[in-house]
Amino acid sequence: MLVYGLGRSGRGAARFLAREGKKAEWIDARPAAEDLALMAELGWAPGDASRPYRTVVAAPGVPIDHPDLTRLRAAGAEVIGEVVLAARARPALPMVGITGTAGKGSTTVLVAQLLRASGLRALEGGNIDPPLLDVVDRAEVAVVELSSFQLERVPGLRLPVAVITNLGVDHLDRHGTLEAYHGAKRNITAGQEAGDVLVLPAGLAVPTRAQVRAFDPARLVLADGQPVLDPGDLPAGVHPANAAAALLAAEALLTHLGRPADPAVLGDALRHAQPVAGRFETVAQAGDVTFIEDSIATRTLAVQAALQRARPPVAWLVGGRDKGAELAPLREAAQGRVAQVIAFGEDGETMARALGLPYRVVGGEDGEATMRAAVQAGLDALPGGGTVLLAPVGTSFDQFRDYKARGESFRRAAQALAQARTEAQL
């Protein structure tokens, strides 16, 4: 067996295989110190893509058409990801799989919360922290966030319950076309059978053999239409669409296990649901200026939602590495709300110019310095108050390890500025 690509997912696969008493070889073009330390601890040797392997567990960051993976498949290897490895190793573990262009992480967390409220030891993993393979032996139910990258490598995966939150434009830099991107997303239902359930937004048609449950954000109801909660009673930060999808998914999983879904329990759990940290999160306040971190907002739908929710006028931090997000809807969403775009990072100026909005370009010697400059510029653009919003459109990989590191950098810069302003007023 070969683990191709380490990082968070690959390390999770390696730890799991080691717990199972199995050895594998590994390949990573740029292994981090943490990767090398784990491989040394396990005693695993580097692999060679020119040699044959029966199974290759490929990390989602490795494109499915990578020359090495193509060569390995041609030599007879089956290329899978951590989700299929988990499903094959733990076939009795029920899984709820969740994907979508926007909202999949929040919906994953909501489903897990609803199932825990219903008395199940439900743990989330996958594209959301932690890796799925880190939780499979502690969970009664695994709730799995699935990216399009992960769904490229799920041969034979059958999910009793699957969710597609929506289908928009994203990751064209990786998939090439919108059709290929949507095709990867639809793989979530490819292995489902007649007794399984696929949860979809009302109006979205996806070919499937599973039973379809359509959700409507305006109605938080069970599959038979029984009301559970008024959408207006959801806590701040919980989107009605995510709640509606999560409700039907949780009910379907409970039904799959032969457990009744209690509307009162589910309604109470939704009423007290905890939103995901780092999703449109207020991290600081300086006078009448609010700093909101939404570093994960790199998809058009997610950025649109952030722009619509932010209190205007908005200083909108845009930057990172362009991944082909559709900008025209963002230009429309920003009209009358955005005072200035603060462009940063590798493709920030290019994206800001394409948006056709007033913008200012900032930079720094590294990601941390760049973010400090961007947050300061955002504050300077709002002398009368408003919102400094990090909804960057671009990925973080030009200057940061991942979107979380970028969000943490924004948080530090915003809190430091807010503290400095407070001290200056004393």
PDB file of all heavy atoms in Angstrom, residues 76-88:
ATOM      1  N   GLY A  76      -1.981  -0.851 -12.367  1.00  0.00           N
ATOM      2  CA  GLY A  76      -2.909  -1.744 -11.681  1.00  0.00           C
ATOM      3  C   GLY A  76      -3.357  -1.301 -10.309  1.00  0.00           C
ATOM      4  O   GLY A  76      -4.125  -2.013  -9.651  1.00  0.00           O
ATOM      5  N   ALA A  77      -2.922  -0.126  -9.839  1.00  0.00           N
ATOM      6  CA  ALA A  77      -3.305   0.329  -8.501  1.00  0.00           C
ATOM      7  C   ALA A  77      -4.729   0.882  -8.500  1.00  0.00           C
ATOM      8  O   ALA A  77      -5.175   1.503  -9.478  1.00  0.00           O
ATOM      9  CB  ALA A  77      -2.350   1.405  -8.008  1.00  0.00           C
ATOM     10  N   GLU A  78      -5.439   0.650  -7.406  1.00  0.00           N
ATOM     11  CA  GLU A  78      -6.713   1.323  -7.176  1.00  0.00           C
ATOM     12  C   GLU A  78      -6.421   2.557  -6.332  1.00  0.00           C
ATOM     13  O   GLU A  78      -5.808   2.453  -5.262  1.00  0.00           O
ATOM     14  CB  GLU A  78      -7.692   0.413  -6.436  1.00  0.00           C
ATOM     15  CG  GLU A  78      -9.047   1.080  -6.234  1.00  0.00           C
ATOM     16  CD  GLU A  78      -9.991   0.274  -5.363  1.00  0.00           C
ATOM     17  OE1 GLU A  78      -9.505  -0.466  -4.494  1.00  0.00           O
ATOM     18  OE2 GLU A  78     -11.219   0.409  -5.545  1.00  0.00           O
ATOM     19  N   VAL A  79      -6.862   3.706  -6.790  1.00  0.00           N
ATOM     20  CA  VAL A  79      -6.636   4.960  -6.066  1.00  0.00           C
ATOM     21  C   VAL A  79      -7.898   5.303  -5.287  1.00  0.00           C
ATOM     22  O   VAL A  79      -8.973   5.466  -5.864  1.00  0.00           O
ATOM     23  CB  VAL A  79      -6.271   6.105  -7.029  1.00  0.00           C
ATOM     24  CG1 VAL A  79      -6.123   7.415  -6.250  1.00  0.00           C
ATOM     25  CG2 VAL A  79      -4.982   5.783  -7.771  1.00  0.00           C
ATOM     26  N   ILE A  80      -7.761   5.381  -3.970  1.00  0.00           N
ATOM     27  CA  ILE A  80      -8.875   5.718  -3.094  1.00  0.00           C
ATOM     28  C   ILE A  80      -8.457   6.865  -2.191  1.00  0.00           C
ATOM     29  O   ILE A  80      -7.297   7.278  -2.171  1.00  0.00           O
ATOM     30  CB  ILE A  80      -9.325   4.504  -2.252  1.00  0.00           C
ATOM     31  CG1 ILE A  80      -8.202   4.077  -1.282  1.00  0.00           C
ATOM     32  CG2 ILE A  80      -9.748   3.344  -3.138  1.00  0.00           C
ATOM     33  CD1 ILE A  80      -8.620   2.999  -0.292  1.00  0.00           C
ATOM     34  N   GLY A  81      -9.414   7.377  -1.413  1.00  0.00           N
ATOM     35  CA  GLY A  81      -9.128   8.391  -0.417  1.00  0.00           C
ATOM     36  C   GLY A  81      -9.432   7.864   0.972  1.00  0.00           C
ATOM     37  O   GLY A  81      -9.840   6.710   1.149  1.00  0.00           O
ATOM     38  N   GLU A  82      -9.268   8.735   1.964  1.00  0.00           N
ATOM     39  CA  GLU A  82      -9.444   8.307   3.351  1.00  0.00           C
ATOM     40  C   GLU A  82     -10.869   7.852   3.641  1.00  0.00           C
ATOM     41  O   GLU A  82     -11.091   6.981   4.479  1.00  0.00           O
ATOM     42  CB  GLU A  82      -9.058   9.429   4.323  1.00  0.00           C
ATOM     43  CG  GLU A  82      -9.954  10.654   4.251  1.00  0.00           C
ATOM     44  CD  GLU A  82      -9.841  11.552   5.485  1.00  0.00           C
ATOM     45  OE1 GLU A  82      -9.723  11.028   6.599  1.00  0.00           O
ATOM     46  OE2 GLU A  82      -9.882  12.784   5.311  1.00  0.00           O
ATOM     47  N   VAL A  83     -11.855   8.395   2.920  1.00  0.00           N
ATOM     48  CA  VAL A  83     -13.250   8.041   3.199  1.00  0.00           C
ATOM     49  C   VAL A  83     -13.523   6.593   2.817  1.00  0.00           C
ATOM     50  O   VAL A  83     -14.157   5.844   3.565  1.00  0.00           O
ATOM     51  CB  VAL A  83     -14.207   8.998   2.457  1.00  0.00           C
ATOM     52  CG1 VAL A  83     -15.653   8.641   2.782  1.00  0.00           C
ATOM     53  CG2 VAL A  83     -13.926  10.445   2.851  1.00  0.00           C
ATOM     54  N   VAL A  84     -13.042   6.170   1.658  1.00  0.00           N
ATOM     55  CA  VAL A  84     -13.231   4.781   1.236  1.00  0.00           C
ATOM     56  C   VAL A  84     -12.423   3.845   2.132  1.00  0.00           C
ATOM     57  O   VAL A  84     -12.890   2.749   2.481  1.00  0.00           O
ATOM     58  CB  VAL A  84     -12.850   4.611  -0.246  1.00  0.00           C
ATOM     59  CG1 VAL A  84     -12.785   3.136  -0.640  1.00  0.00           C
ATOM     60  CG2 VAL A  84     -13.864   5.341  -1.122  1.00  0.00           C
ATOM     61  N   LEU A  85     -11.225   4.259   2.515  1.00  0.00           N
ATOM     62  CA  LEU A  85     -10.440   3.447   3.450  1.00  0.00           C
ATOM     63  C   LEU A  85     -11.220   3.226   4.742  1.00  0.00           C
ATOM     64  O   LEU A  85     -11.295   2.107   5.261  1.00  0.00           O
ATOM     65  CB  LEU A  85      -9.099   4.130   3.734  1.00  0.00           C
ATOM     66  CG  LEU A  85      -8.160   3.412   4.707  1.00  0.00           C
ATOM     67  CD1 LEU A  85      -7.787   2.025   4.215  1.00  0.00           C
ATOM     68  CD2 LEU A  85      -6.891   4.259   4.933  1.00  0.00           C
ATOM     69  N   ALA A  86     -11.841   4.288   5.255  1.00  0.00           N
ATOM     70  CA  ALA A  86     -12.640   4.177   6.479  1.00  0.00           C
ATOM     71  C   ALA A  86     -13.855   3.285   6.265  1.00  0.00           C
ATOM     72  O   ALA A  86     -14.170   2.429   7.108  1.00  0.00           O
ATOM     73  CB  ALA A  86     -13.069   5.562   6.943  1.00  0.00           C
ATOM     74  N   ALA A  87     -14.561   3.474   5.146  1.00  0.00           N
ATOM     75  CA  ALA A  87     -15.781   2.702   4.894  1.00  0.00           C
ATOM     76  C   ALA A  87     -15.485   1.212   4.751  1.00  0.00           C
ATOM     77  O   ALA A  87     -16.261   0.368   5.217  1.00  0.00           O
ATOM     78  CB  ALA A  87     -16.472   3.230   3.635  1.00  0.00           C
ATOM     79  N   ARG A  88     -14.379   0.884   4.124  1.00  0.00           N
ATOM     80  CA  ARG A  88     -14.031  -0.527   3.955  1.00  0.00           C
ATOM     81  C   ARG A  88     -13.530  -1.149   5.254  1.00  0.00           C
ATOM     82  O   ARG A  88     -13.798  -2.328   5.529  1.00  0.00           O
ATOM     83  CB  ARG A  88     -12.974  -0.670   2.865  1.00  0.00           C
ATOM     84  CG  ARG A  88     -13.509  -0.337   1.484  1.00  0.00           C
ATOM     85  CD  ARG A  88     -12.429  -0.452   0.415  1.00  0.00           C
ATOM     86  NE  ARG A  88     -12.961  -0.111  -0.903  1.00  0.00           N
ATOM     87  CZ  ARG A  88     -12.224  -0.055  -2.007  1.00  0.00           C
ATOM     88  NH1 ARG A  88     -10.919  -0.327  -1.948  1.00  0.00           N
ATOM     89  NH2 ARG A  88     -12.776   0.262  -3.160  1.00  0.00           N
TER      90      ARG A  88
END
